[in-house]
Amino acid sequence: MTTAVLTPGGSARATAERALKAAAGFWFATVVTGQALFLAYILAVYAPTSLSGNFAAWNENKMLIKGYVPGDTVGNLAFAAHVLMAAVVTFGGTLQFVPQIRARAPAVHRWIGRAFMTTAMAASVVGLWMTWGRPTDSGLPAAIAITLDAALILAFGGLAWRTAVARDFTAHRRWAMRTFMVANGVWFLRLGMATYGMAYLATGKVLPRPGDVFDVWSFGAYLVPLLVLELYLRAKAGGGPVMRASATGAVVLGALLMGVGIFGTWVGMFAPVLANVLAKL
Ligand code: HEM
């Protein structure tokens, strides 16, 4: 037993550390569940349609803004490349958090890391082109928000890579986690909108309409997770009891809201699209 837990202050500190660790575990379990469903959706809807060249089937997804456009070969191929890379980003990022892979198979961790960073950056560049060059018009505020997200993916991804090469693993972990948050901004965007949509219906539509909060959440979808991550990192690095309790609360609340969003996206978005597309194959 360490002296830390022999004193009343030390014991409270150890409890706060355990609570923060448990909160992070709960958050990660929620992420794994949600990302597995998002990955299943991406693969089931886009892998058979993109790889077989049946691009027209994408438009069975009525939530797409542009999707397949007859005659736009470059745009359609860009979309296919983007969604296939999205699958690697979704799967690869989550695997990087598994401590057993890092400890027992560091070479696997390095290769998944390279694949995740490269595809997240490439998907961002293709996404930027689709947003401004194709163009896929989601409205100016949302286009600016996703552009900033792409810039952060490129910047954080570059820093995570550089710190890994320099073998500065403390900094690498932080930049890799920040990259994970921004690379999953588009997923958090969907979860947040689904959660809000359910709250809107549950409160008898007294809240502002979901369409009215979309632009704000386009920024919040990656800025809020980044903020919670910073709080968590600071608390973990030796914050006081108030900071540890706040970080624990924010992580648990985030995980609970994500859980609601995971349910909402599956029931309201992914499952209906999946059923539509599969029926047309
Ligand atoms: C790196 C993580 C990303 C992932 C995992 C991802 C995932 C996806 C998925 C799954 C779709 C298909 C739409 C759907 O089925 O809901 C999509 C479409 C799209 N994404 Fe991304 N995306 C990422 C990053 C970006 C970025 C950074 C941008 C812009 C800078 C972007 C712009 C677009 C655009 C314009 C579409 C086409 C929407 C349409 O035609 O309706 N994406 N993305």
Side-chain angles (χ1 to χ4, degrees):
M1 194 184 287
T2 64
T3 47
V5 290
L6 288 175
T7 60
S11 160
R13 190 187 164 87
T15 307
E17 272 173 17
R18 272 201 302 275
L20 186 59
K21 199 170 173 204
F26 175 51
W27 179 86
F28 184 60
T30 314
V31 165
V32 171
T33 312
Q35 297 241 309
L37 292 174
F38 189 41
L39 179 69
Y41 158 76
I42 296 176
L43 286 180
V45 170
Y46 295 115
T49 51
S50 304
L51 297 175
S52 68
N54 183 8
F55 297 166
W58 298 334
N59 291 1
E60 292 307 320
N61 178 355
K62 303 298 173 212
M63 278 175 235
L64 281 185
I65 306 164
K66 208 151 200 175
Y68 169 70
V69 178
D72 178 14
T73 309
V74 176
N76 294 332
L77 287 176
F79 183 94
H82 183 79
V83 288
L84 293 178
M85 286 190 287
V88 180
V89 175
T90 302
F91 187 58
T94 312
L95 276 185
Q96 289 303 79
F97 279 99
V98 180
Q100 285 82 358
I101 298 181
R102 285 205 304 268
R104 291 187 200 150
V108 175
H109 175 76
R110 278 198 295 275
W111 277 109
I112 301 174
R114 287 178 190 126
F116 167 72
M117 294 294 177
T118 314
T119 41
M121 289 173 161
S124 301
V125 172
V126 176
L128 278 175
W129 179 79
M130 287 199 298
T131 304
W132 299 103
R134 196 175 190 200
T136 303
D137 188 9
S138 54
L140 189 60
I144 293 172
I146 192 80
T147 299
L148 178 62
D149 188 28
L152 292 176
I153 294 171
L154 293 171
F156 293 176
L159 285 162
W161 201 308
R162 210 170 72 180
T163 46
V165 172
R167 306 189 70 76
D168 179 356
F169 295 118
T170 309
H172 167 68
R173 255 193 112 229
R174 288 170 173 255
W175 286 117
M177 287 164 96
R178 290 176 185 131
T179 310
F180 179 87
M181 293 302 177
V182 289
N184 281 295
V186 298
W187 182 58
F188 293 130
L189 177 69
R190 289 164 172 81
L191 296 191
M193 287 312 299
T195 306
Y196 186 82
M198 284 159 65
Y200 175 73
L201 293 178
T203 52
K205 303 188 180 178
V206 292
L207 296 169
R209 287 182 307 121
D212 297 337
V213 300
F214 179 75
D215 286 344
V216 176
W217 183 243
S218 299
F219 289 91
Y222 53 92
L223 294 178
V224 173
L226 268 184
L227 207 71
V228 175
L229 173 64
E230 286 313 311
L231 189 62
Y232 167 78
L233 289 174
R234 274 158 204 264
K236 200 162 171 271
V242 174
M243 185 178 277
R244 284 222 158 98
S246 315
T248 303
V251 172
V252 170
L253 179 66
L256 289 173
L257 290 173
M258 275 165 52
V260 176
I262 289 164
F263 172 78
T265 45
W266 184 258
V267 174
M269 295 182 197
F270 300 156
V273 170
L274 205 67
N276 247 349
V277 174
L278 294 183
K280 295 286 156 108
L281 285 181

